[in-house]
Amino acid sequence: MGPVNIGVVGLGTVGAGTVQVLQKNGVEISRRAGREIRVTHAAVRNLESRRACSLEDIELTVDAMSLVHNQDIDVVLELMGGCEHAYDIVISALRQKKHVVTANKALIATKGNEIFDEASKQGLVVAFEAAVAGGIPIIKAIRESFSGNKIENVEGILNGTCNYILSEISDRGCDYDEVLAVAQDLGYAETDPYFDVEGIDAAHKLTILASIAYGTHLNFESIHVEGISNITHADISYARELGYRVKHLGIARRQNDALDLRVHPCLLASDQILANVCGVMNAVKVNGDAVGETLFYGAGAGAGPTASAVVADLVDVVRTLTSDPFNRVPHLAFQPSELSSFAVTPIEDTVTAQYLRLTVVDKPGVLGDVTKILGDEGVSIRAISQKERHMDASAVPVVIVTHQVREGSLNRAIAEIESLAISVAPIVRIRLEE
Ligand code: HSE
């Protein structure tokens, strides 16, 4: 059969990385796909910018819609990021009968339901492996390799930038802004790093993982999201003294008839596997009732790893060009008519141990007041330590690790302690995952 022509929208880190991989490994890739895959067109914002790939034989344009309407293009790669324009490109490509590969987790997490409906209507595929955990083939694993399982938990380090920042602060005592700037330079961070450090990017990825794990419609809004911007070097050091590391996790757990879906920083015992995943690396643990615990580890961001996933999707799409549209792997793992709605556990009803750092006046009776309030809410203390006051400080840090506690009870205790005159700063809390 003849070659498959690709139009790439966006030649930034991921787009140029993908073209580079297709150019470098073209022969191997075609041997796998069964057809030659060639990038014939690319849409960019600036025709003059330098690219990290050869542009030989690629026609450049600033008009992304012209690719979508080009009859010679068979598959559109949406690698531009962002939501509004990307949505228009993807929907228009589907309406023009073109399969789509995208790395855009924000798009899939927030508009995926509409996109998959349109794709099913048109008998087309929208592939999105690169949207979650960069080069780790976690979507294929859950969607296809674990089809025989009831998935219990999916949890992991889903944002390379957060993991990189936490690792650098922990290991080298670096300054937060300095580390973030390096992550941006290395091409790990999103265009708007707020998405990384405030947990939005990880929540987009968890939304996708939860849907394919549990057979539900995508529901980004249901996830409880916290980022790492309030995690300080002090908290990381205190946690380390207690035998824990601080990691930013995405957690999806089946609990009776509801799902526990949350993204936030966590303390993990330093001998746990996820506690030892450092730098920009991602790792995802999946528990299935048949397979037991599995772990997937790899680079979660960067040109090469993301391109690896985009090209794998492209090969899958090329293989499906000749297959029956009604018998393809469903977008969200379960047949569209079988998707269900799960209740999501309110964050107040979740039960975890927690690390608390209080900043309190150093005077008699303070610890008594604090522990009384905790005790009255049924919060049991597992470890407590007060740091010595520095000469110039008016208050001291008190670090408390609780036993398992219902979040709502702890919230009431925290609010009451913060309302006391002895409390001079908001309490920092980090949940602890056993
Ligand atoms: N900004 C993302 C991260 C890139 O840091 O993990 C990959 O999604």
Side-chain angles (χ1 to χ4, degrees):
M1 290 179 95
V4 178
N5 294 334
I6 310 297
V8 182
V9 182
L11 279 186
T13 305
V14 178
T18 299
V19 173
Q20 205 181 34
V21 169
L22 286 168
Q23 288 166 341
K24 184 160 83 67
N25 299 340
V27 174
E28 291 261 303
I29 293 167
S30 298
R31 282 174 60 212
R32 291 187 172 112
R35 303 193 37 194
E36 185 192 345
I37 296 175
R38 58 181 195 195
V39 177
T40 55
H41 294 76
V44 293
R45 248 192 308 222
N46 182 350
L47 293 172
E48 307 307 324
S49 299
R50 282 173 61 87
R51 309 283 162 191
C53 60
S54 157
L55 297 177
E56 213 183 314
D57 300 328
I58 301 178
E59 198 177 311
L60 288 191
T61 173
V62 289
D63 178 9
M65 276 296 173
S66 70
L67 264 63
V68 165
H69 291 279
N70 186 327
Q71 297 304 316
D72 295 332
I73 292 176
D74 302 299
V75 181
V76 170
L77 302 194
E78 184 285 297
L79 303 175
M80 64 192 288
C83 260
E84 297 307 320
H85 192 29
Y87 178 76
D88 291 341
I89 296 289
V90 169
I91 288 288
S92 305
L94 293 169
R95 291 188 180 143
Q96 293 301 312
K97 305 277 178 216
K98 296 184 198 318
H99 296 279
V100 174
V101 175
T102 177
N104 192 330
K105 52 255 157 183
L107 179 71
I108 297 298
T110 60
K111 311 251 192 218
N113 295 321
E114 294 101 294
I115 290 172
F116 298 145
D117 279 352
E118 186 64 34
S120 301
K121 207 156 79 189
Q122 304 286 352
L124 294 165
V125 173
V126 176
F128 53 97
E129 180 66 66
V132 180
I136 304 175
I138 190 66
I139 291 184
K140 197 181 248 302
I142 299 178
R143 192 164 57 182
E144 297 180 43
S145 309
F146 294 155
S147 303
N149 287 260
K150 183 171 172 184
I151 306 286
E152 303 294 353
N153 310 336
V154 180
E155 53 198 57
I157 294 172
L158 299 177
N159 185 273
T161 301
C162 283
N163 204 39
Y164 181 74
I165 292 173
L166 292 173
S167 304
E168 290 289 292
I169 295 177
S170 170
D171 298 344
R172 306 205 286 131
C174 293
D175 175 60
Y176 177 92
D177 293 325
E178 179 196 329
V179 189
L180 176 58
V182 176
Q184 286 176 290
D185 278 354
L186 293 171
Y188 301 150
E190 297 302 299
T191 320
D192 181 353
Y194 172 87
F195 272 42
D196 293 297
V197 296
E198 294 307 335
I200 318 286
D201 176 78
H204 286 146
K205 294 166 181 168
L206 190 73
T207 302
I208 298 170
L209 291 179
S211 280
I212 59 173
Y214 304 115
T216 63
H217 292 285
L218 296 148
N219 188 358
F220 171 66
E221 302 300 331
S222 65
I223 294 189
H224 175 84
V225 188
E226 293 174 29
I228 60 162
S229 56
N230 69 343
I231 302 290
T232 61
H233 183 248
D235 292 312
I236 291 175
S237 313
Y238 298 151
R240 194 179 268 262
E241 282 171 26
L242 292 162
Y244 298 101
R245 304 243 170 100
V246 180
K247 292 287 167 190
H248 188 252
L249 293 194
I251 296 171
R253 284 197 191 124
R254 195 191 283 272
Q255 287 197 322
N256 307 318
D257 288 335
L259 294 179
D260 185 6
L261 300 177
R262 46 200 166 90
V263 164
H264 52 69
C266 285
L267 259 63
L268 296 175
S270 52
D271 59 355
Q272 284 192 41
I273 292 181
L274 289 182
N276 294 287
V277 172
C278 297
V280 74
M281 303 310 278
N282 282 191
V284 188
K285 262 191 345 181
V286 183
N287 279 70
D289 63 347
V291 71
E293 182 167 298
T294 61
L295 179 73
F296 298 80
Y297 170 87
T306 313
S308 162
V310 172
V311 173
D313 270 350
L314 192 50
V315 170
D316 273 355
V317 167
V318 171
R319 287 174 179 150
T320 62
L321 284 175
T322 49
S323 75
D324 163 9
F326 298 104
N327 286 298
R328 294 192 185 130
V329 178
H331 289 106
L332 292 175
F334 293 68
Q335 296 299 334
S337 58
E338 297 299 322
L339 292 176
S340 58
S341 302
F342 263 96
V344 176
T345 311
I347 191 72
E348 291 75 23
D349 290 341
T350 56
V351 176
T352 59
Q354 303 221 10
Y355 160 101
L356 306 176
R357 176 167 58 81
L358 290 61
T359 309
V360 288
V361 173
D362 188 12
K363 68 172 197 188
V366 167
L367 280 187
D369 292 347
V370 168
T371 52
K372 164 121 187 22
I373 292 171
L374 290 172
D376 288 349
E377 285 294 347
V379 181
S380 173
I381 294 171
R382 166 162 153 180
I384 185 165
S385 115
Q386 180 185 312
K387 303 290 162 190
E388 209 163 339
R389 177 148 56 111
H390 291 296
M391 297 288 279
D392 54 346
S394 58
V396 284
V398 171
V399 172
I400 294 173
V401 179
T402 72
H403 282 290
Q404 297 253 322
V405 54
R406 196 182 145 272
E407 181 114 357
S409 310
L410 188 63
N411 288 349
R412 281 196 298 276
I414 287 177
E416 198 177 338
I417 296 168
E418 283 180 337
S419 73
L420 299 178
I422 51 136
S423 190
V424 302
I427 293 175
V428 172
R429 73 125 64 105
I430 310 176
R431 296 172 193 85
L432 192 154
E433 288 297 322
E434 314 278 357

